[in-house]
Every structure is written in C-alpha cells, then in structure tokens.
Amino acid sequence: MPEKQLQRISSTISFRIALPTFLTILLFVITIFSIALPQLEQSLLNRKQEMIMELTETAWSLLEDYHARELRGELSPDEAKRRAILRIGKLRYGPGKKDYFWINDMTPVMIMHPYRPDIEGKDVATFEDPNLKNILTKIVEVVRQQEAGFVDYEWQWKDETQRIAPKISYVKGYEPWGWVIGTGMYSDDVKAEIAAIRNHLAAVSAGILVIISLLALYSIRQSVLADRERQRIFAERGRLMKSLEMSTERFRNLIETTSDWIWEIDRDGRCTYSSPRVENLLGFEPEEILHAPLTAFAAPGQAAAINAAFTKLLAAGKPFNGFEITSLGKDGRVVVLECNAVPIFDERGQLAGYRGVARDITERKTAMEILRKSRDDLHASLEETVASLASAAEKRDPYTAGHQQRVERLACAIAREIGYPEDKIEGLHIAALLHDIGKITLPSEYLAKPTRLSTEEKALFKLHPEVGYDILKRIHFPWPVAEMVLQHHEHLDGTGYPRGLKDDEILLEANILAVADVVEAMSSHRPYRPSLGIDIALDEIRAGRGIRYHAASVDACIDLILEKGFDLSYTRDEDGGGVG
C-alpha cells in the first residue's frame, strides 16, 4: 500500500478517534457547569437550611427539658426560664464559633440576644432592618401561621454591629412560654462556599481536560500501531483458548472435590447437574440424581411440606438461603441439607433454573436440639424456683394462701387482654408469683392479726415491696422482675408507696399487677375482715380508673370478670397443675 494512502488512512482513523474525544470533553464541561454545579449549589443551600433547622430544633428541645423540670416541680417558672436563657445564650457554632441563637416572645419583646444586649427586654415591634422590614414582627407572623419556618432579612454580621448582611433564619415557637427561638445563616457565607466549589471545579475540569487531551493524543498514536498488534493478538488467541480449557478443567476439579454438593436444576426443580459430592452426602451416584426433583429424597413424613415450600421458592425466581431439606440417604440414614441458590436466566431474561450448593448440617441441627432442650430445662428450673419462693412466702401467711397465684392468673389475663407481648407477660408472670415475697420478713403475728394494724405496724408492713426488691434484685432475670415487685403498690397519682411514683414513672407491668392485686385482695378473706366481694373490688378500680389505676388494665379486668366469666377463686395448683 502506498505511503500516502497509509498516511490518509491513519489521519482518518485519528480524526475518528479525536472527534468523539473532544466532543466528550465539551459535553463534560457543559454538564458540570450548567447542570451539576447549579444542583450542587441548591443542594448546599438546602443542606445549610436543614442544618439551622436541626440546630434550632435542638435548642428548642432544651426549652422542653427546662419546662418539664418546671412541671415536675424541680424548678420555679422564673428559675426554669432563667436557666434556659443562660444556657441557650452561651451556645455557639460555625466557623470561629460566632453563630448564635436568640429568643423573643410573641409581643414581640427581645428576650435574649448574645450580640445585642441593648435591645433585650425591649418591645422591638418597630425595630427595622436597613430595608425597613419589621424583622421580629415578620418572625412572629411566621410562627403564628406555621409554628416554625424560614425568614429572610438583613441583620448585623455576627458580632460586628456596623456590618449589615443578608441572612436566612429558621424560627420555631415554644407555646408553653410564648417564646420564639431561632438561629440563621448569612447568605454571604453560602455564596463564598459556592464560589470556592465553583473555582475548585473549574480547576479540576481544566486538569481533566488536559489529561483527556493527552490521553486522546496517546490513543491516536496507538491506533496507528493497531495493525501491528493484530497479528500478535491472533497468535495470543490460540494460547488463550488453550489456557481457558485448562482453567475449565481446574474449575471442574474444584467443584468435584469441594465438601459441598453443587447442583443445578431447571425451572421445574429437576436436577440437570450434580457434583460427585452427592455420593458422600446421600450415597447416590450423580447419574441417579439427574432429572429427579431436588426434594425427591425428602423424609416421607416431611415430603409434602418440603415440596410445597420448595415450589414456592422456585416460583419467586429470587435467590434463597438456608432452605432445609430433611433427606433419607440411600442407606436410610437421615441427613439434613441446607440449600443456598441463585436463579439462572436465559438470553431472553426468563427463569431457566437455579444453581446452588447443599451442605450437611445434621450435626448442627442435633446440637441446636440439645441446646433447645437445655434451655427448656433451665426454664423449668426457673419456674420451680419461683414457685418454691412463692410457696415459702405464703406458708407464713395461711390467710392469704393462693393470693399470689390468683393475682398471677388475673394479671397475666389482663396483660393478654390488652395485647401485651407474650415474652413480656412471662416476666409479669414471675413478678406476680413473687410480688409479696417481701412479707417473708414480717412477724407472723402481723400477718395473722385479727384486727387492723397500728400506724407503726402499717409503716413496717409497707416496707415489704422494698424487701422483695432487695431479695430479687441480684437474680438476673431477663425482665425487670425486682422493679415490678418494688412498684406493685404505686399509684398513677403518686399516692402509692414506697416511692410515690407517678404516671410513666411506673412500669406497665407494675400497673397491671396493682389492678390484679387490689381486686384479688378485696374479694378475698383477711384475718381482720371477711371478703368484701367482687362487686366492691370492681367498684374500687372503677373509681380509681385513670387516677390511681391504669385505665386499660381496669377496663380489661372488668371485662374479663363480668363479660367473660373469669373465675378469680381458681388457682392452678387446685387441679394439680402447679403455680407456673
């Protein structure tokens, strides 16, 4: 081929390579500066707005904390507000730690401004920025209309009173005190960050442009040498094909020697490939497995359920893990296989089958069964221990024999009625059986006294929740059993004992236990009085519903006894069932 023709062909190839390259560079620059950069700028502004909103919400939560302490009586109203002002006034953030929070009220009066103490305590309804906007009035309007929102205006630059700059602030009202708290960001800060990003992108784009240009020139040069490489590539191709055959052989050897059984099935679940490992697991030759369903060797008692579950997995067309097949080997040995697989799709994207592995987990399943039995044995031992403790307490008080068992039955029934989770009801069950364990330390004459206790005796009697707590707190139950026992005489209005807890300070289990304890105690005989009857007991919890006693528990208790015929006098040990 003549030299000029070779040069013309080379120039044509070079142009075809260079043109798309430079068009790509141009498209890259246009995309960066016309699409990506504006989106980045907007994203930065949004992120800054989210930041000041989150900071304001955080400062607002401090007001909540001090108001909560005021409501609990820990602080007077004035002291709570004073402390809130001092704490929020010291908060700083941002570069140089000069960004701040301010507080005004709805009058508006400026309550606190770290950099403008001259306007604190003053009615600034007429205070205007350089654009004659009534800033605080605008802020109050936003809070009245939306409770919280963004406000833009002009204000002094941080602590520089002579410099005025545009600002965007987020404000939120705090209704209990009639306050508004806010903080903001200066537009100049955001513009400076955006300018820095733009300059950085311009520098990066220029660098990329230079690099891509050099790469394009290099590609052009390499294209001229491409013909020389083709012959070498054809020669290499033969060697690569031979290497591929060797790799395929190594892969086949790996599959056939791995400890897991590797298989493939079609979309009907029939085996299309089986590695030799199946012989070690089930005793079958790979040829015996081919065209048979993967579940064909499931144990007879479980075959139907396993087939149904496996068919559902195949229909989903998704990867699956941990599917267990209890199989019978060729020699009758039971083998539990764990199968993991991924779907195979044909060229049209249709499900063609699955490729997966099966692992023998028989020993693991056996170990898990042993572990489960051990857990059940431990649970049974716990139940026996709890029953023994409960029995020991009641043997000292024959007049209340069965009280703890009856309270346990009623409390657990109430808990189920209100939809309490079964795993937590288990803890309530134990706490109910042991709720009077603290009486074990009381003198027997107090427990059997035929008249009402004196003031001193009552005071000693009221110690039994704390004594029960001390007995149980060192036992590591999975539930707060000791705390339930300690709180079972607490009332929502704080009139209970021993701590005088209120409302959410009391565990829900303790609230349920209190209702069951009152109903059972009033409807049972005591040494100093006969039974008051179930009607009087239900009247007591009705009268205290939502005041002393948990409302949902009261409703559930009344419904159980009056509507569903719950027999309060029955205890589990009366029919030989124990007290568990």
Side-chain angles (χ1 to χ4, degrees):
M1 185 177 290
E3 184 177 348
K4 289 185 178 180
Q5 187 177 358
L6 286 173
Q7 289 178 350
R8 186 168 58 254
I9 292 173
S10 177
S11 298
T12 302
I13 294 172
S14 300
F15 178 76
R16 290 177 179 177
I17 294 174
L19 181 60
T21 301
F22 286 110
L23 288 177
T24 301
I25 295 171
L26 180 62
L27 180 61
F28 168 75
V29 173
I30 292 173
T31 302
I32 288 292
F33 286 92
S34 64
I35 299 176
L37 186 59
Q39 290 181 350
L40 183 62
E41 292 174 355
Q42 185 59 46
S43 175
L44 177 61
L45 181 60
N46 292 341
R47 191 164 66 249
K48 290 284 188 180
Q49 288 181 329
E50 290 176 2
M51 180 194 74
I52 63 173
M53 181 175 70
E54 290 172 357
L55 289 170
T56 302
E57 293 285 353
T58 301
W60 187 90
S61 68
L62 293 177
L63 299 181
E64 282 277 275
D65 292 341
Y66 283 104
H67 183 53
R69 294 178 66 184
E70 173 192 339
L71 295 178
R72 292 196 300 267
E74 297 177 10
L75 299 172
S76 67
D78 290 341
E79 180 64 13
K81 293 176 181 177
R82 186 184 72 82
R83 291 193 184 186
I85 290 171
L86 286 175
R87 185 168 180 186
I88 294 174
K90 294 179 181 178
L91 295 179
R92 297 289 187 277
Y93 65 94
K97 299 296 183 182
K98 289 189 176 183
D99 292 302
Y100 59 91
F101 298 87
W102 82 87
I103 301 173
N104 60 269
D105 65 13
M106 302 295 286
T107 307
V109 168
M110 181 63 73
I111 303 296
M112 181 277 296
H113 194 293
Y115 296 148
R116 293 296 303 272
D118 57 305
I119 61 174
E120 290 183 354
K122 296 180 181 179
D123 184 347
V124 289
T126 60
F127 185 79
E128 297 177 346
D129 68 357
N131 293 325
L132 301 180
K133 293 180 181 178
N134 195 323
I135 299 173
L136 293 186
T137 301
K138 186 175 181 181
I139 289 171
V140 169
E141 287 177 359
V142 169
V143 172
R144 288 188 194 281
Q145 294 172 5
Q146 306 171 192
E147 297 185 0
F150 291 95
V151 185
D152 59 300
Y153 53 93
E154 292 190 353
W155 189 256
Q156 72 177 47
W157 179 269
K158 300 179 182 178
D159 56 350
E160 299 178 23
T161 57
Q162 301 305 315
R163 180 180 174 186
I164 304 300
K167 189 172 186 180
I168 301 174
S169 292
Y170 182 80
V171 294
K172 183 172 181 178
Y174 187 65
E175 185 178 354
W177 289 348
W179 284 5
V180 179
I181 186 167
T183 190
M185 62 179 177
Y186 292 94
S187 301
D188 291 349
D189 282 344
V190 179
K191 291 177 181 177
E193 288 190 40
I194 292 173
I197 292 172
R198 186 184 293 110
N199 294 337
H200 181 70
L201 282 176
V204 170
S205 299
I208 293 174
L209 183 62
V210 171
I211 293 171
I212 293 178
S213 299
L214 293 174
L215 291 174
L217 292 174
Y218 178 78
S219 299
I220 293 171
R221 181 177 180 277
Q222 292 301 313
S223 67
V224 176
L225 304 175
D227 286 337
R228 300 178 186 176
E229 292 294 322
R230 289 194 184 99
Q231 294 300 324
R232 186 181 63 82
I233 290 173
F234 281 120
E236 286 288 331
R237 182 182 177 187
R239 291 193 293 271
L240 287 174
M241 291 299 294
K242 185 175 181 180
S243 177
L244 179 61
E245 291 176 1
M246 295 175 62
S247 296
T248 302
E249 183 65 23
R250 284 196 297 268
F251 181 66
R252 182 182 296 109
N253 293 337
L254 179 64
I255 288 177
E256 292 178 352
T257 56
T258 184
S259 60
D260 293 334
W261 171 28
I262 299 174
W263 46 263
E264 288 185 5
I265 57 174
D266 60 20
R267 60 185 177 185
D268 296 322
R270 298 185 178 277
C271 189
T272 57
Y273 169 77
S274 173
S275 70
R277 181 62 178 170
V278 68
E279 186 175 358
N280 300 87
L281 295 182
L282 298 176
F284 295 98
E285 295 288 341
E287 294 75 15
E288 297 179 81
I289 298 293
L290 293 179
H291 309 301
L294 201 62
T295 56
F297 310 102
Q302 303 181 32
I306 290 174
N307 275 319
F310 195 62
T311 300
K312 187 176 180 181
L313 279 179
L314 297 183
K318 296 179 180 179
F320 60 84
N321 295 289
F323 182 74
E324 295 182 8
I325 303 176
T326 303
S327 305
L328 283 181
K330 196 169 186 178
D331 59 359
R333 180 171 58 94
V334 175
V335 180
V336 182
L337 299 177
E338 180 185 71
C339 298
N340 305 319
V342 294
I344 306 170
F345 298 96
D346 60 23
E347 62 277 2
R348 295 175 298 173
Q350 300 295 319
L351 181 67
Y354 276 82
R355 180 181 295 119
V357 296
R359 179 171 301 161
D360 184 356
I361 61 167
T362 308
E363 292 184 3
R364 188 207 309 172
K365 294 290 289 185
T366 302
M368 288 178 63
E369 183 62 25
I370 293 171
L371 184 62
R372 186 195 63 77
K373 185 178 184 303
S374 176
R375 183 200 63 192
D376 292 344
D377 290 344
L378 285 173
H379 187 271
S381 296
L382 175 63
E383 288 286 341
E384 292 172 1
T385 302
V386 169
S388 297
L389 285 172
S391 177
E394 290 195 339
K395 285 185 184 302
R396 299 191 69 252
D397 187 6
Y399 292 97
T400 58
H403 166 70
Q404 294 187 132
Q405 294 96 316
R406 289 189 292 272
V407 169
E408 180 272 334
R409 284 187 60 252
L410 181 56
C412 291
I414 292 172
R416 290 188 179 92
E417 190 73 9
I418 65 175
Y420 207 51
E422 282 296 329
D423 60 326
K424 293 188 176 182
I425 292 177
E426 182 70 13
L428 175 61
H429 151 71
I430 292 174
L433 287 176
L434 300 176
H435 74 277
D436 279 340
I437 189 69
K439 291 182 181 180
I440 200 168
T441 62
L442 293 175
S444 299
E445 55 269 22
Y446 285 13
L447 300 174
K449 188 173 181 179
T451 60
R452 292 193 175 275
L453 299 176
S454 66
T455 302
E456 293 77 8
E457 290 169 339
K458 285 181 179 179
L460 184 60
F461 191 87
K462 286 184 176 182
L463 294 175
H464 80 272
E466 294 179 276
V467 174
Y469 174 79
D470 290 337
I471 292 172
L472 299 173
K473 67 182 181 181
R474 291 182 179 85
I475 302 177
H476 297 290
F477 293 107
W479 316 273
V481 171
E483 196 66 32
M484 295 180 214
V485 170
L486 179 64
Q487 296 180 12
H488 78 276
H489 279 299
E490 300 286 1
H491 294 156
L492 298 178
D493 58 3
T495 59
Y497 62 88
R499 294 178 178 175
L501 302 179
K502 294 182 178 180
D503 299 321
D504 293 339
E505 297 174 336
I506 306 172
L507 294 174
L508 177 56
E509 295 96 332
N511 279 321
I512 296 171
L513 191 53
V515 170
D517 191 33
V518 166
V519 171
E520 199 289 327
M522 294 185 69
S523 61
S524 299
H525 291 284
R526 288 292 183 268
Y528 55 87
R529 62 153 174 83
S531 167
L532 299 177
I534 191 64
D535 293 334
I536 299 296
L538 296 182
D539 287 342
E540 162 63 19
I541 61 173
R542 279 195 198 95
R545 181 186 182 278
I547 302 172
R548 295 187 301 279
Y549 308 118
H550 182 241
S553 298
V554 169
D555 295 341
C557 181
I558 294 173
D559 187 60
L560 280 168
I561 293 174
L562 296 184
E563 301 298 329
K564 298 184 178 179
F566 185 87
D567 186 3
L568 188 59
S569 64
Y570 166 80
T571 56
R572 289 183 179 144
D573 58 347
E574 290 175 358
D575 61 359
V579 295

